[in-house]
Amino acid sequence: MRSRRWDEMSPLRKVLAMAAVAVQVSLAVSAWSDLAERPAEQINGRKRTWAMVIGISYVGPILYYWKGRRPGAVAHRDS
C-alpha cells in the first residue's frame, strides 16, 4: 500500500489521521508531565532514558506507564 499525500486523502481518512496524531501527542505529553513531576526514586531507570523512550510513537508512553513507574508511587503536586 502506497502512502498518500494529504490532498489525495478522503475526508474520513483525514479525520482518522488527525485523531491518531492527537492521541499520540496526548499520550506523550501526559507521560512527559508525569515523568517531570515524579521524583527519580519513583522511576524504574533513569529519567533521561524514559524521556527519550516516551518520544517513540504510541509504544513509548505505554511502556513508561507500564514499566517506568514504580508500583504504588504517586507523583506529588503542589497546589
Side-chain angles (χ1 to χ4, degrees):
M1 182 175 166
R2 78 176 183 94
S3 62
R4 296 180 182 193
R5 290 179 26 171
W6 185 257
D7 58 346
E8 295 174 338
M9 295 173 97
S10 71
L12 176 60
R13 286 196 184 255
K14 287 179 181 179
V15 168
L16 292 175
M18 288 187 292
V21 168
V23 168
Q24 182 176 350
V25 169
S26 297
L27 278 171
V29 168
S30 172
W32 278 319
S33 295
D34 184 83
L35 180 65
E37 292 177 2
R38 195 169 295 275
E41 55 272 1
Q42 293 181 359
I43 303 291
N44 291 321
R46 295 176 55 203
K47 284 183 127 184
R48 178 178 285 175
T49 302
W50 280 112
M52 290 186 292
V53 168
I54 290 168
I56 302 171
S57 188
Y58 293 93
V59 176
I62 292 169
L63 276 174
Y64 169 71
Y65 282 119
W66 183 33
K67 294 289 186 178
R69 303 183 309 167
R70 298 215 172 158
V74 178
H76 296 310
R77 288 198 170 167
D78 296 327
S79 323

